[in-house]
Amino acid sequence: MKRICLILVTFLAFSCTDENIVEPIKEDVIINSLRSSLIIPQGEWENWASVKLVNIDNPVNVPWNRMTSATTIPDKIRFDIKAEDGWILLRNTISEKQPKLNYLIFYNQFTGFLKGFYYLETASVGNNAYWRIYFDSGSQKLLYNQDGFFTYPVSLNKEISGVNIMNITDNPVKGFTEGWNCFQVELTFDPLQPNLTLGITAFQQNIGSIVLKGDYNSTSSGTIISSPSSSSSIPTALDTFNKSTITAVADSAKNWILSNISIGGSKKPIKNVLQNTITSIVNNDMKSYVSSGISLIFGSFMGSSVSTATTNNYTLQFKTSGEISLTGRTENPSTTSIPSLKISIDNERKLGIWNLPNAPVVEVNKYAVLKDISMFYNNSYLYKYDFTKFIVYNRSIPVINPSLSPYMTNYKYSFIYSNGHMKNEIYNSTSNSKKELQAENKSKIELSKYVNFYADNQSGDYLNFIIYQNDSSLIRFHNRGGMPYMSYSNNAVFDVLPNSAYGNQNEPAYNLASTKNVMNTEDIKVSIEYTILVNGVSKTFYSTRTYDPDYEFASNLSYRPYLWTAKDLMAYFKK
């Protein structure tokens, strides 16, 4: 990315007015061809030990008070509020001095995380609780990574009325507790974000227990459980979390990964991880998650790290989706004594960090080249073809929030072919062109009209790196440096004669557009990496999301129709 020398006013350094409403401080920032440096002063809230609530005589300690605080929020969540790490105080309702309006709402400009703290003055009756986050009069595209395995691109029109987020707590059930409670959600970027209103509402219910189903069978303690919300104001117990996203954060994410790495040929599912990579993960090196391919296991991944002589801080979260079982006696959700909150956000304050403008396009060469022919029996022949695919990445270059992009250095992105997902993943596919190529979407009668061109998995050239494997799941990817080009061979098929030729040598090929075909399809992992220099310290961020690609056939004018016989082909391959 070319950069020029200029001086800008940064809106990434903040403080508070007398009413603790966030306002920007004007700082001169020099951006040159080498790097853009930010000077962000300490946030005023960082020095708060306590706050005074209207209905409580004595001040209560804030969630990030390291001495003591009334909360069950995991430490990595409640302590992560520093301005130099990207956080701004989006709204402080405590300063407004209204009864029970005890919110502290934060937003992270480096990661796109929205985080809210609320102080509950008296215990709630329900043992399970969740927050509904939505955007009125504005784009729901900020929630396009909250509907399952795939993130939706900006161009897709998908109605997401909001997201339900279970209360973040170390407790195995998620009920509101007296003291500080919390939610956190990652937003995607919408370049056409209009003026909008952020809405926050709390619900509660009584349940027996929460059971996470699928490959991520950890406990619910310390995880973020969320689900797209229904359009009704109060959903029923059965549809609240019928499809859910499970976000493992910080130490719980790291420990789950380390506990599932196969060592010495064990049956644990995360495969092909070197010992030095394991050591790097233990030492909070986020780059090791990306270079090893571990970040590609999940629907999305976000990590960052900064290491100095005195600190080794890191941010880590991965998302998988699946079925959440609320067992025992389950009641319909109900509203709580917690007042709802609405926050106006103008279109100049863009939320989220990035997204793709369109779904990735995988271009399949319209002509499969014949690689080999062999006689089977009774003058029947087996034909083996070579396929080539290319990700047309310049049609889906990531769009970055312009409020952050001037301060990114060492920015890079890559597109990676992958296939497979963890058990019970919510595979929210939207690509019709992809479905048309998949055998699993067709009946046996329909398949009789299609030619099967599925890959030869034994050849080792199709998605040749396995990263996750157990009895129910196989996740693999194409590990050639994130290159958009891929070539592989199909399982040999009976009597599918080539019908085209290429070049002066009459290279035999098959025109895929001449028949209906089924073949391998892929998911596309898009990874971005960027560094931000803050107060003289480099902070590097890694973000990976999964997209459902569209498929197109590319035409090559060098091919021409040609009538082949098996005898001609046998002679051709004897040359």
Side-chain angles (χ1 to χ4, degrees), residues 38 377-378 504 529:
L38 288 171
Y377 70 94
N378 276 347
N504 295 330
E529 175 185 339

Side-chain angles (χ1 to χ4, degrees), residues 380-400:
S380 291
Y381 292 85
L382 292 172
Y383 296 87
K384 204 173 189 64
Y385 288 92
D386 266 0
F387 293 81
T388 58
K389 295 179 179 179
F390 186 84
I391 302 174
V392 192
Y393 60 89
N394 59 0
R395 289 168 61 178
S396 306
I397 295 175
V399 286
I400 307 294

Side-chain angles (χ1 to χ4, degrees), residues 1 3 398 400 408-413 528-531:
M1 180 184 299
R3 298 190 181 276
I400 307 294
M408 290 179 170
T409 61
N410 302 319
Y411 167 71
K412 62 182 73 173
Y413 63 88
I528 72 168
E529 175 185 339
Y530 54 97
T531 298

